[in-house]
Amino acid sequence: MYDKKLKIAIQKSGRLSKDSRKLLHNCDIKVNFQKNKLISFSENMPIDVMCVRDDDIPGLVIDGIVDLGIVGRNVLEEEVLKRTFKLEKISFKILKHLDFGVCRLSIGIPTEKKYSGISCLNKLRIATSYPYILKKYFDKKNISFKLCKLNGSVEVAIRAGLADAIFDLVSTGEALVSNGLKEVKVIHNSSACIISNGYNTSVFKRDIVNTFISRINGVVKARESKYIMLRISASKINDVVRLFPFSSKPTIYQLSGKNSIVAIHIVSRESIFWKTMEKLKNLGAKSILVLPIEKMLE
Ligand code: PRT
Ligand code: ZN
């Protein structure tokens, strides 16, 4: 019975956990999360959710302990490089890139230090939690460095006299600035993604994964799309359609008792800016409404 359920690993608590839970919720996967429980069960889908540290997620997926994981590409890449270095066999697939957990792995040095290109870091001590990503990049550039491996508080390594530069995650850059550092080189861009173990799973599990991914696509599409309603002279239909090149075909309604005026409904694939609204108004459109779309399945 247990194997008849799809297992998804998400971060227990941290920067990805809220968005990962929200993603499941938006896909109508109802999970009754219980504090301090490793596994929570979905009430309406054959899915178990494992809440763990983000660093463990790539390994759990690659080793086939869970079917899917939601994790940052930075953590995934580091684990993949680590296992490649140890000549381990790796099997996984990125099923979908997500729009949260956006950050970058960058080199930071003291604000007052001059930076004249990556080679000026040759032979320096660099503090990081991501030694494999750093080594891969530096090897490509033929630069050597002395590793100071830290699992946290990397920003303070220079002040503590442990390193000359750091290689760490940056999102707004405020942590760097408040520690007297400047970002001099972005080496890896990251955001959260959904990974699967790429093993031949059962048709049953594949169906759930396909449903999940199709729902995520629907959620993302709906978020980016808008539903537009307006009334306009029938002679202007083509002018209106031209304003929405990325939309599906509009639906035109005849208004009762008014042959020359029609109502047009359009699903736009992009945000609607005031400029487009003003162009519609200039064409003579009335009662223009732009509405958010909650879900979309095509
Ligand atoms: O306990 P666990 O191991 O699960 O969590 P963790 O502490 O290792 O990770 P966590 O929750 O801090 O981050 C999880 C993931 O979120 C990371 O692996 C990245 O994929 C992503 N992420 C996105 C970030 C950031 N943005 C981010 N800003 N992870 C860390 N940071 C740090 C940054 O290094 C700095 O120290 O946040 C601080 C503030 O950043 P600034 O640039 O906004 O000032
Ligand atoms: Zn972690």
Side-chain angles (χ1 to χ4, degrees):
M1 180 63 194
Y2 192 65
D3 213 40
K4 285 242 165 210
K5 285 185 167 189
L6 189 87
K7 283 162 239 137
I8 306 179
I10 64 169
Q11 191 185 25
K12 185 176 180 217
S13 74
R15 283 183 171 81
L16 303 181
S17 47
K18 199 168 142 222
D19 285 314
S20 302
R21 287 177 186 213
K22 201 165 119 198
L23 184 71
L24 297 177
H25 174 84
N26 288 343
C27 291
D28 282 344
I29 300 171
K30 295 196 178 106
V31 184
N32 186 8
F33 285 104
Q34 301 199 357
K35 232 182 159 193
N36 298 326
K37 274 230 166 153
L38 176 66
I39 297 173
S40 297
F41 310 102
S42 166
E43 297 162 10
N44 62 339
M45 300 266 283
I47 291 176
D48 288 345
V49 180
M50 203 182 259
C51 296
V52 293
R53 287 199 62 186
D54 68 341
D55 315 70
D56 294 332
I57 294 174
L60 287 170
V61 173
I62 292 169
D63 295 335
I65 295 163
V66 298
D67 302 288
L68 300 182
I70 300 178
V71 69
R73 284 203 308 275
N74 51 312
V75 172
L76 173 66
E77 171 81 353
E78 184 68 12
E79 182 68 23
V80 167
L81 290 175
K82 186 167 118 190
R83 290 185 179 223
T84 309
F85 184 76
K86 292 186 192 162
L87 302 175
E88 285 179 22
K89 209 173 144 237
I90 303 160
S91 167
F92 78 95
K93 257 195 290 193
I94 296 185
L95 296 184
K96 177 101 195 140
H97 294 281
L98 300 167
D99 57 2
F100 58 85
V102 179
C103 58
R104 52 200 187 268
L105 270 167
S106 294
I107 301 269
I109 62 169
T111 319
E112 67 282 3
K113 283 266 158 65
K114 249 185 74 187
Y115 178 76
S116 54
I118 198 78
S119 53
C120 75
L121 302 173
N122 197 20
K123 297 201 166 79
L124 294 189
R125 296 169 304 161
I126 305 184
T128 188
S129 313
Y130 296 88
Y132 289 95
I133 297 178
L134 183 64
K135 182 169 164 26
K136 184 180 170 194
Y137 182 80
F138 271 39
D139 281 355
K140 233 187 325 178
K141 300 278 168 195
N142 255 329
I143 299 169
S144 66
F145 67 97
K146 292 183 198 100
L147 173 68
C148 168
K149 170 85 168 46
L150 295 175
N151 289 325
S153 307
V154 173
E155 303 96 359
V156 300
I158 300 177
R159 232 183 317 142
L162 299 172
D164 309 298
I166 64 161
F167 176 57
D168 198 14
L169 290 170
V170 180
S171 114
T172 62
E174 277 167 29
L176 286 181
V177 172
S178 63
N179 282 288
L181 304 172
K182 62 181 174 189
E183 185 178 5
V184 291
K185 179 80 191 162
V186 178
I187 287 177
H188 182 89
N189 284 300
S190 183
S191 64
C193 61
I194 301 185
I195 51 173
S196 82
N197 60 26
Y199 293 126
N200 284 329
T201 49
S202 62
V203 175
F204 167 78
K205 281 189 176 179
R206 270 207 303 273
D207 279 351
I208 310 175
V209 172
N210 289 342
T211 304
F212 184 35
I213 299 297
S214 148
R215 287 186 185 183
I216 293 173
N217 288 337
V219 169
V220 173
K221 255 191 216 153
R223 211 167 32 218
E224 289 166 352
S225 304
K226 291 282 175 278
Y227 195 81
I228 304 146
M229 300 193 281
L230 57 94
R231 292 177 176 199
I232 199 162
S233 158
S235 62
K236 295 286 171 60
I237 292 174
N238 287 338
D239 296 318
V240 171
V241 171
R242 266 197 292 275
L243 288 178
F244 301 97
F246 302 112
S247 306
S248 51
K249 286 218 159 43
T251 310
I252 318 273
Y253 297 97
Q254 194 74 51
L255 295 182
S256 63
K258 289 186 178 176
N259 282 342
S260 60
I261 306 289
V262 291
I264 304 183
H265 290 197
I266 302 173
V267 174
S268 169
R269 296 271 177 251
E270 48 185 4
S271 293
I272 304 301
F273 297 103
W274 280 108
K275 255 201 178 129
T276 312
M277 304 274 283
E278 283 150 11
K279 281 183 190 162
L280 286 170
K281 197 156 177 266
N282 290 339
L283 285 172
K286 298 258 173 357
S287 313
I288 309 166
L289 290 180
V290 178
L291 308 171
I293 297 172
E294 198 183 290
K295 291 189 178 72
M296 202 185 247
L297 198 60
E298 287 174 315

